[in-house]
Amino acid sequence: MEQGRGGGLRPRADGDPFAEALAGLITSIRGACEDANEWPERVGAGLYAGIDFLVQEKEMARVLLDDPDNSRFGEPFRQLVQNMSELLEEDAPVRARPGPGTPAAAIAGVGLVVGDHVRVGRADRLPELCPEMHLMILLPFLSFEEARGWAETYKRK
C-alpha cells in the first residue's frame, strides 16, 4: 500500500490485475469527490463515479468482483470492502453510530449487489440503483431522514 492523495492509502498496482483495477476505481472515486462540497455529496459523487467506472471498465469490474478463483466473500472482496470503507471514513464529519450497521457492513452490502450485477452481466443496470446504495452508505452516519434527503437530492443533479 502507498500513501494516496488526501492522506488515505491506495493499493500499488505492481502488475497485479486486482491491484490495478482497485487503484483505477479509487482514482475515479477520489477525482469525483473533489468537486462536491458537503460530505454526503462527496459520498454520492464517489459512489456514482465508482459505478460508472465499473460499468465502463467491464474487465476491471470482473477482476474486482467476479474472480473465479475466489468466493465473493474471499480475500479480494474483503480487501475491496476495507479500501472502500477507509475512503468513506477518511473525512466523515461524524463517527459512525455503533451497532450492526457499520460503514463496512454498508459497503459490503453494496459490494454484494454490485458484484451480483457484474457476475450476471447486468452492470449497466447499476446506475439506477445508485440512490438506494447512496442511502445505504450514509445510514451508519446519519438519521434515515437526513440520509434519504441527501440521496434524493443528489440523484437529481
Side-chain angles (χ1 to χ4, degrees):
M1 298 292 271
E2 62 187 31
Q3 194 73 19
R5 217 177 76 228
L9 296 176
R10 64 182 174 91
R12 281 191 300 241
D14 297 335
D16 171 14
F18 181 85
E20 289 176 10
L22 185 55
L25 177 63
I26 290 171
T27 298
S28 175
I29 290 170
R30 282 192 187 282
C33 293
E34 291 176 353
D35 294 332
N37 295 323
E38 302 272 346
W39 178 78
E41 288 178 308
R42 289 192 298 276
V43 171
L47 170 67
Y48 281 71
I51 295 299
D52 287 345
F53 175 85
L54 295 171
V55 169
Q56 294 169 10
E57 301 290 342
K58 290 175 180 34
E59 187 56 37
M60 289 192 178
R62 281 192 284 283
V63 166
L64 287 170
L65 295 159
D66 191 24
D67 185 338
D69 296 330
N70 296 298
S71 76
R72 62 191 210 169
F73 297 105
E75 182 56 34
F77 185 77
R78 283 192 292 273
Q79 183 180 353
L80 178 62
V81 168
Q82 178 182 345
N83 278 263
M84 295 299 104
S85 296
E86 288 172 3
L87 279 176
L88 175 63
E89 295 184 82
E90 215 169 64
D91 67 340
V94 296
R95 297 190 80 159
R97 291 187 306 268
T102 66
I107 296 293
V110 167
L112 291 173
V113 169
V114 172
D116 286 347
H117 278 72
V118 168
R119 274 186 286 290
V120 298
R122 307 213 59 168
D124 60 315
R125 294 195 170 185
L126 288 169
E128 64 195 54
L129 299 177
C130 281
E132 287 81 9
M133 291 187 287
H134 190 187
L135 173 67
M136 281 177 58
I137 293 168
L138 292 175
L139 282 174
F141 299 93
L142 306 174
S143 70
F144 178 80
E145 292 77 21
E146 190 175 8
R148 183 179 62 190
W150 281 108
E152 288 175 353
T153 300
Y154 191 83
K155 75 178 180 180
R156 293 187 194 120
K157 291 184 179 189

